[in-house]
Amino acid sequence: MSMSNVLVTGGAGYIGSHCVRQLLGQGWRAVVLDDFSTGFKDLLISDEWVEGSTLDKRRVKQILRDYDISAVMHFAACAYVGESVENPEKYYENNVQGTLRLLSAMREEGVNQFIFSSSCATYGVPNQLPLTEDHPLNPVNPYGFTKRVVEQMLADFSVAYDLNYVSLRYFNAAGADPGGQLGECHDPETHLIPLILQVATGERENITVFGTDYDTKDGTCVRDYIHINDIGKAHLLALKYLQGGGTSDVFNIGTEVGNTVREVILACEKVTGKSITMVVGERRPGDPPALVASAEKIRRILKWEPEYTDLESIVETAWAWEQKRTQVLSETAG
Ligand code: UDP
């Protein structure tokens, strides 16, 4: 199998940058396309990058030709659930229209391998746990709908045109590359683990827990936190699978272990040695009580295995990054 050139959209973001690092580490050529609306130039691992949007089809076509791209990993998207409720147009434009133009550019340039950043937000409120890929898709917010629409688009395109794709439904991406060069940073930050760790560094005073009256073991929401490098690993396996002639498919990426918000706070206290002040808040609209993956399919078909299987080891890597973040990210987003 030849190592070919991969276009990574959103390669300056949290998940994209970790994947670029793994691609380069394994000898692939990775070209980043990022509009830096939420990405950071400091997270650019590849020397080969273009500032731009997937909405700019002419530009995308040019990149596919100029760099002789044979596969695309598509991370570029808006990913705040709350914002998607307030401003769905932005989400349908960037996530749906942006992906449509990208796929259209690929079709016109004869590039037919596609790896898509999907989400467990496509499922909505689960009927049963763990979630398997055949669970009905009933998203409960516009963000989840945009991911579901793209998955449908991919399914239809793969039947009608020459497109082979893998859609990866991430559960809760967390942690950082232990090398300390990369990590999580959103502006504004809305994700649980970085917010808790920013209480530990003194950047924030407390963490608000969104609801303590859920029907879970301690009343707080349950999520499946999956290490960012294990997500990266799944992308490389998906790429090899497609290059080896694998048929289009959809896979969850999760550890199959659920942790409550309180358990995450406790793990952060243990790792940081600091006590975290917790404030009980209202439920956050659109939050399913519990999301836990079945990863049986990706284990079986892509032979993927997570390296980080316990929450504390994930938090340790996030903590190492959190203490460095402000030095690494000298530039602001945008
Ligand atoms: N959460 C919380 N307080 C916060 C941020 C998040 O209690 O300040 C909870 C949230 O309700 C969810 C979990 O932490 O149950 C993970 O939220 P996050 O936003 O990190 O990821 P999501 O599950 O929304 O993708």
Side-chain angles (χ1 to χ4, degrees), residues 58-300:
R58 253 189 41 198
R59 190 87 185 279
V60 174
K61 287 182 64 166
Q62 189 72 45
I63 296 168
L64 296 176
R65 278 197 301 272
D66 285 354
Y67 293 92
D68 193 20
I69 298 292
S70 67
V72 176
M73 288 189 182
H74 182 39
F75 299 94
C78 298
Y80 292 120
V81 169
E83 186 187 48
S84 79
V85 177
E86 282 153 27
N87 191 1
E89 183 183 358
K90 178 176 176 185
Y91 279 69
Y92 282 96
E93 181 175 21
N94 276 322
N95 297 6
V96 177
Q97 196 162 329
T99 308
L100 179 57
R101 297 223 178 120
L102 173 60
L103 290 172
S104 170
M106 287 173 61
R107 192 161 82 85
E108 288 172 25
E109 294 301 323
V111 178
N112 69 354
Q113 293 174 5
F114 191 74
I115 298 173
F116 179 56
S117 293
S118 190
S119 166
C120 62
T122 51
Y123 293 117
V125 179
N127 301 332
Q128 92 281 327
L129 293 176
L131 280 152
T132 49
E133 289 81 353
D134 57 3
H135 184 283
L137 302 181
N138 294 311
V140 289
N141 51 61
Y143 167 69
F145 268 105
T146 64
K147 295 290 176 181
R148 184 189 153 178
V149 170
V150 171
E151 283 200 356
Q152 187 61 51
M153 212 151 77
L154 291 171
D156 294 340
F157 275 42
S158 73
V159 170
Y161 314 127
D162 176 27
L163 175 73
N164 298 309
Y165 72 92
V166 167
S167 182
L168 297 171
R169 293 182 185 149
Y170 314 152
F171 281 64
N172 285 59
D177 180 60
Q181 212 180 352
L182 296 174
E184 182 164 16
C185 187
H186 302 96
D187 186 19
E189 188 54 77
T190 62
H191 293 102
L192 182 64
I193 293 176
L195 287 176
I196 299 172
L197 295 176
Q198 286 167 19
V199 179
T201 59
E203 202 176 319
R204 291 174 197 269
E205 280 185 8
N206 52 53
I207 180 78
T208 302
V209 177
F210 296 147
T212 52
D213 57 351
Y214 285 100
D215 185 17
T216 59
K217 64 178 167 183
D218 63 20
T220 65
C221 285
V222 171
R223 294 288 181 274
D224 181 334
Y225 295 90
I226 171 79
H227 194 271
I228 191 78
N229 278 356
D230 287 326
I231 293 181
K233 213 157 90 176
H235 284 74
L236 269 87
L237 290 170
L239 180 60
K240 288 177 196 151
Y241 167 82
L242 287 178
Q243 299 234 316
T247 52
S248 296
D249 215 336
V250 178
F251 301 96
N252 288 337
I253 316 179
T255 58
E256 308 186 301
V257 177
N259 284 108
T260 66
V261 174
R262 281 189 212 275
E263 286 171 338
V264 176
I265 294 172
L266 280 176
C268 291
E269 287 189 321
K270 202 161 163 203
V271 167
T272 63
K274 314 250 180 197
S275 88
I276 309 285
T277 310
M278 180 185 126
V279 175
V280 174
E282 295 293 306
R283 289 184 177 196
R284 184 172 65 176
D287 260 348
L291 293 170
V292 181
S294 161
E296 183 278 327
K297 188 175 172 189
I298 189 166
R299 286 177 199 272
R300 176 167 43 86

